[in-house]
Amino acid sequence: MVAGLTVAERQSAITISALVALCGLVMAIAGHDDLMGVHGVIILLCGLGGVFLVLSKYFEPEPSDERLAHYYDDPTKVGIVLALAWGVVGMFFGVWVAALLAWPDLTFDAAWASFGRIRPVHTSGVIFGFGGNALIATSFHVLQRTTRARLPDQFSPWFVLLGYNLFCVIAASGYLMGLTQSKEYAEPEWYADIWLVVVWVVYFLIYIRTLQRRKEPHIYVANWYYMAFILVVAVLHIVNNLAVPVSFGHAKSYSLFSGVQDAMTQWWYGHNAVAFFLTSGFLGMMYYYLPKRADRPIFSYRLSIISFWGITFMYMWAGSHHLHYTALPQWVQTLGMTFSVVLLVPSWASAGNALATLNGAWHKVRDDATLRFMMVAAVFYGLSTFEGSFMAIRAVNSLSHYTDWTVGHVHAGALGWVAMITFGSLYALVPWMWKVDQIYSPKLVEVHFWLALSGTVIYVFSMWNSGIIQGLMWRTYNSSGTLAFSFIDSVVAMHPYYIARTVGGLLFLLGAIVASYNVGMTIRTARARTAPQATGADQPALPGAGPALQPGE
């Protein structure tokens, strides 16, 4: 890692790490009587760790210019490992949270283990830890291959990857201590939000700088989706997290918005975070790794571009469907519902494009569990986007909202789409990164696939049943016009479904552990395996090389 940096890059790494340590020291001193002080100590230790890590290798020989003849994949390799580690941790907390609903005593009388604290550890651990690291790792890989250009330098990718994980650590540790600004999927307090903005801007600059140096005349569609993910998430994050801290020595802050404006801003953020973090970025993954693995061209490149602009435009207006039957003006609710229904068109265009790409390669889907992960992901993407549009209709929403149906819908997308396309992409990517012919055990990939699929089906079906029964019980009246069931009646009726949900989540967690073992063994045995012959197709274009013309150009 450090040995691959030039002397100038090592000096930059020491300077940045020292500044991070200084910020941590200031926070620790200013927040000595507040929980912010604990985060200050964590940041201080991370900064000092970075300084000592670079100093320990500072006087090693500088890498030769020969490195420029290869893509820079070290951050991608570390990102894959971090994604799997966060995935196991986040899913473990997910199983724990699910079990809490069936067996509430599992908090063990510890405040940090209460539902309200470990639930955001699960959501942030899976979304940001697992999903975010996978997106950063794959985007660096895809960006270089589709532009035939090396990353612009070797330090900034490490700053993005490690800085992003520092944010995840601050967020998760804050939740366990009780620090939250109570915004769904945006719980970290103000100083963590500011740090993420700095990291994200550097991430965007890496993308732009590499695209400027590309040797391909056009920008491949996967990069459009990745860029939308990076750019729009930055805008969403900044606007939704506008807040005023109590003081610079305290973690607590208050939102700049209030009342229904705050709710609208939150769900404008929340729904578009689903769109541009959990959809756009992973569509970038799908549009690169699925055709590569199937060894087939995309069915329709034009359709993928049309789908991109449709999703980008329509998603922005759909967030208000989360606020049906609230104080939000009726016309805003109707606008959100209408755009949510129309959004089905570009969403299904991408799902259909992916499945049509597999025409002529279905025998590979039968035999290759990695490709099957991607195929199932495309199916669940189509299924969950249809369900989302359906649930946005006001009449349907009156039954589904506040019930477990929404939980089932979210996890159909999270487990069936996001996690499946991620695992499929990582299984395709790992052998390429570590230069081996195949993953350590294809049979374990098969085992993982069936664990993941059965876990997803059990989870989603139990929540669909639970949610619809909940909604019906809450709206059933007796002959005297009063409610036929008390709230506790509905809670008792949910008990068997909550056990089923825990079982489904546990199966999915076991699958993630199998994947981590398989990837770990692949890395461990990589040197003992026969490396494939290097080809010119996986090399950056030499300096001064002209653009590669595409067919028809």
Side-chain angles (χ1 to χ4, degrees):
M1 175 182 171
V2 177
L5 303 180
T6 64
V7 170
E9 289 167 341
R10 293 173 195 178
Q11 292 170 348
S12 298
I14 292 173
T15 304
I16 298 295
S17 298
L19 288 173
V20 170
L22 182 62
C23 289
L25 180 63
V26 171
M27 287 175 62
I29 294 173
H32 67 280
D33 60 346
D34 188 85
L35 289 176
M36 191 177 83
V38 178
H39 278 157
V41 173
I42 293 174
I43 294 169
L44 173 63
L45 292 175
C46 288
L48 291 177
V51 171
F52 285 118
L53 177 65
V54 179
L55 284 178
S56 67
K57 305 283 184 180
Y58 185 81
F59 295 103
E60 288 200 356
E62 197 172 2
S64 67
D65 289 342
E66 194 268 341
R67 72 184 186 282
L68 301 176
H70 304 279
Y71 293 120
Y72 191 50
D73 290 327
D74 290 349
T76 296
K77 293 178 181 177
V78 176
I80 292 170
V81 174
L82 289 172
L84 290 171
W86 276 107
V88 171
V89 171
M91 291 173 199
F92 167 76
F93 275 95
V95 173
W96 189 356
V97 168
L100 267 181
L101 291 173
W103 301 286
D105 291 338
L106 287 175
T107 58
F108 310 110
D109 288 331
W112 65 268
S114 59
F115 182 92
R117 296 196 186 185
I118 63 174
R119 192 260 181 180
V121 176
H122 159 58
T123 53
S124 291
V126 172
I127 295 172
F128 300 119
F130 172 62
N133 276 299
L135 286 169
I136 292 173
T138 57
S139 65
F140 286 159
H141 173 258
V142 172
L143 175 64
Q144 295 182 91
R145 267 66 180 184
T146 54
T147 60
R148 293 203 304 140
R150 203 171 189 267
L151 293 177
D153 66 273
Q154 301 176 128
F155 172 63
S156 58
W158 287 114
F159 176 79
V160 170
L161 183 68
L162 300 181
Y164 179 77
N165 280 275
L166 175 59
F167 164 79
C168 292
V169 169
I170 293 173
S173 58
Y175 304 150
L176 294 176
M177 292 189 295
L179 276 178
T180 173
Q181 60 178 3
S182 303
K183 285 174 174 279
E184 181 83 332
Y185 309 134
E187 291 94 341
E189 279 291 357
W190 59 276
Y191 48 87
D193 293 333
I194 293 173
W195 172 246
L196 184 60
V197 170
V198 174
V199 170
W200 217 250
V201 168
V202 176
Y203 188 17
F204 184 68
L205 291 177
I206 289 175
Y207 232 88
I208 294 298
R209 290 168 65 199
T210 307
L211 287 173
Q212 284 178 327
R213 298 164 51 252
R214 72 184 188 276
K215 298 301 179 184
E216 292 289 335
H218 79 288
I219 300 174
Y220 183 67
V221 64
N223 289 315
W224 285 93
Y225 283 99
Y226 277 123
M227 278 197 295
F229 145 67
I230 299 169
L231 180 62
V232 180
V233 165
V235 175
L236 298 170
H237 174 77
I238 291 171
V239 174
N240 189 49
N241 288 295
L242 289 174
V244 180
V246 172
S247 79
F248 290 115
H250 290 81
K252 184 61 188 169
S253 65
Y254 289 96
S255 173
L256 210 60
F257 310 102
S258 62
V260 73
Q261 288 86 0
D262 191 40
M264 183 61 238
T265 306
Q266 162 60 30
W267 283 112
W268 169 78
Y269 163 87
H271 197 75
N272 285 303
V274 171
F276 292 95
F277 201 102
L278 297 175
T279 299
S280 179
F282 292 94
L283 281 172
M285 248 187 231
M286 185 191 78
Y287 273 118
Y288 182 81
Y289 292 106
L290 188 143
K292 288 286 287 186
R293 188 72 182 188
D295 197 21
R296 303 276 302 169
I298 295 176
F299 171 70
S300 171
Y301 195 88
R302 287 179 181 171
L303 189 60
S304 65
I305 294 291
I306 293 170
S307 173
F308 168 80
W309 286 111
I311 288 173
T312 302
F313 176 71
M314 291 177 190
Y315 249 116
M316 277 292 170
W317 311 98
S320 58
H321 74 234
H322 287 266
L323 297 168
H324 282 323
Y325 304 102
T326 68
L328 194 73
Q330 183 87 350
W331 71 268
V332 183
Q333 297 177 31
T334 304
L335 182 75
M337 179 182 71
T338 306
F339 272 95
S340 299
V341 173
V342 179
L343 186 56
L344 184 61
V345 176
S347 297
W348 272 23
S350 274
N353 208 359
L355 295 176
T357 300
L358 294 172
N359 279 340
W362 287 105
H363 61 289
K364 295 181 181 177
V365 177
R366 181 195 61 202
D367 300 331
D368 183 359
T370 298
L371 194 56
R372 216 178 305 137
F373 266 107
M374 301 183 198
M375 182 274 291
V376 170
V379 171
F380 268 98
Y381 177 61
L383 176 68
S384 55
T385 50
F386 169 77
E387 188 184 23
S389 297
F390 183 61
M391 291 170 72
I393 298 170
R394 189 179 284 112
V396 179
N397 195 265
S398 68
L399 175 69
S400 69
H401 208 180
Y402 307 118
T403 72
D404 290 333
W405 187 357
T406 302
V407 180
H409 164 60
V410 168
H411 283 81
L415 302 179
W417 157 239
V418 173
M420 290 283 191
I421 192 66
T422 301
F423 282 123
S425 300
L426 294 186
Y427 279 131
L429 179 57
V430 165
W432 298 338
M433 285 293 92
W434 276 274
K435 312 297 183 190
V436 293
D437 295 327
Q438 63 177 17
I439 199 81
Y440 170 70
S441 171
K443 288 185 178 177
L444 285 180
V445 179
E446 193 78 34
V447 170
H448 179 197
F449 172 78
W450 289 111
L451 282 172
L453 183 61
S454 57
T456 303
V457 170
I458 292 172
Y459 191 113
V460 172
F461 270 92
S462 65
M463 288 297 93
W464 281 344
N465 280 282
S466 167
I468 292 172
I469 291 173
Q470 266 181 328
L472 292 175
M473 290 180 78
W474 292 347
R475 60 165 55 180
T476 302
Y477 296 88
N478 55 30
S479 56
S480 61
T482 59
L483 288 173
F485 302 98
S486 67
F487 181 75
I488 197 65
D489 289 335
S490 67
V491 173
V492 172
M494 296 308 104
H495 189 70
Y497 299 107
Y498 289 162
I499 294 175
R501 171 164 77 171
T502 306
V503 172
L506 184 61
L507 291 176
F508 206 91
L509 170 64
L510 290 175
I513 293 172
V514 168
S516 301
Y517 171 77
N518 208 359
V519 170
M521 290 303 293
T522 304
I523 296 170
R524 187 176 177 183
T525 58
R527 291 183 180 178
R529 297 195 176 201
T530 304
Q533 288 290 327
T535 65
D538 198 36
Q539 303 291 331
L542 295 173
L549 295 179
Q550 304 302 306
E553 292 181 323

